[in-house]
Amino acid sequence: MDEQSRHAIAAMDWSTLKDSIAACRACSLGNTRQNAVVGAGSPTGSWFFVGEAPGAEEDRRGEAFVGRGGQLLDAMLAAMSLSRTRDVYIANVLKCRPPNNRDPQGPEVQSCLPYLERQIALVQPRIVVAMGRFAAQSLLQTTTPIGQLRGRVWEYRGIPLVVTYHPAYLLRNPLDKRKVWEDLKLALSVYPKDSPRTDAMA
């Protein structure tokens, strides 16, 4: 994606952003998807959860986190006393499903990242939770393994950011749910409950 396109995305409102994502052909995934997936939840949520890419069910329905991983995420949110419809906005780094659910590729991430960055700016969350290696590495601009990113508080443009495993990973590795709960408790402990939201990022 060229610099002019990045600047244009950085100035979009929600309606224009959604239309731009739906029409995007910046990478080859735009030709193989069924539906682009913008996000889900509350656009005024104080929590922003970031995943990696839509799966088959998300691609079919055009909604984020509606498959088995989404059900597990909803259970995680409930354990935190958070509501998807009231407290949380959820989006992926990629807006289109990679074929056969393969890992996102570098050019795809770079094409989609400006959309995610604008979503975070529009939501103005008080905390970001990055779920999975690609979400964490993309937002933090690092190649550090996720195991080394967990367990501490990072910062994304002045917003606290906590790294944890992706719900789809937990479906394959249920014994690691305890680790994720530790990450979520860390996020709850650093959530800036009393800090006022501002319009500085919009």
Side-chain angles (χ1 to χ4, degrees):
M1 183 176 290
D2 59 46
E3 201 62 29
Q4 183 176 358
S5 298
R6 291 177 182 273
H7 283 302
I9 292 170
M12 289 179 179
D13 60 18
W14 270 117
S15 178
T16 307
L17 185 68
K18 291 175 181 177
D19 289 345
S20 181
I21 291 172
C24 183
R25 295 294 186 273
C27 74
S28 61
L29 296 183
N31 300 320
T32 58
R33 72 183 186 207
Q34 292 187 59
N35 291 288
V37 179
V38 177
S42 171
T44 58
S46 55
W47 290 73
F48 199 114
F49 281 70
V50 181
E52 300 187 341
E57 187 67 13
E58 289 81 8
D59 181 49
R60 186 180 70 81
R61 294 171 54 176
E63 300 175 40
F65 280 89
V66 292
R68 291 178 62 216
Q71 294 171 8
L72 181 53
L73 176 58
D74 285 343
M76 292 159 56
L77 296 178
M80 300 170 73
S81 298
L82 298 176
S83 163
R84 182 194 283 233
T85 57
R86 183 185 66 245
D87 306 306
V88 176
Y89 191 82
I90 309 164
N92 287 303
V93 176
L94 296 192
K95 308 308 181 190
C96 301
R97 181 196 180 200
N100 302 312
N101 289 348
R102 64 159 169 73
D103 286 344
Q105 296 177 352
E108 296 163 355
V109 171
Q110 293 307 310
S111 294
C112 263
L113 196 55
Y115 290 123
L116 176 62
E117 292 171 342
R118 184 55 183 162
Q119 287 178 295
I120 297 174
L122 287 168
V123 172
Q124 302 176 51
R126 294 182 182 179
I127 192 166
V128 175
V129 178
M131 302 181 294
R133 173 167 62 99
F134 289 97
Q137 292 179 345
S138 297
L139 289 175
L140 295 175
Q141 292 294 292
T142 183
T143 58
T144 303
I146 187 171
Q148 296 177 31
L149 295 174
R150 290 181 54 253
R152 57 170 289 189
V153 181
W154 301 87
E155 188 177 281
Y156 170 82
R157 299 186 180 181
I159 305 170
L161 183 149
V162 172
V163 175
T164 193
Y165 292 117
H166 193 282
Y169 169 85
L170 293 181
L171 292 173
R172 301 188 302 270
N173 302 274
L175 293 179
D176 281 338
K177 288 182 179 179
R178 182 182 297 273
K179 294 180 180 179
V180 171
W181 182 235
E182 292 299 321
D183 297 333
L184 298 180
K185 286 195 295 184
L186 173 62
L188 285 166
S189 74
V190 300
Y191 174 75
K193 299 177 181 64
D194 299 322
S195 63
R197 290 161 65 98
T198 71
D199 296 325
M201 294 178 61

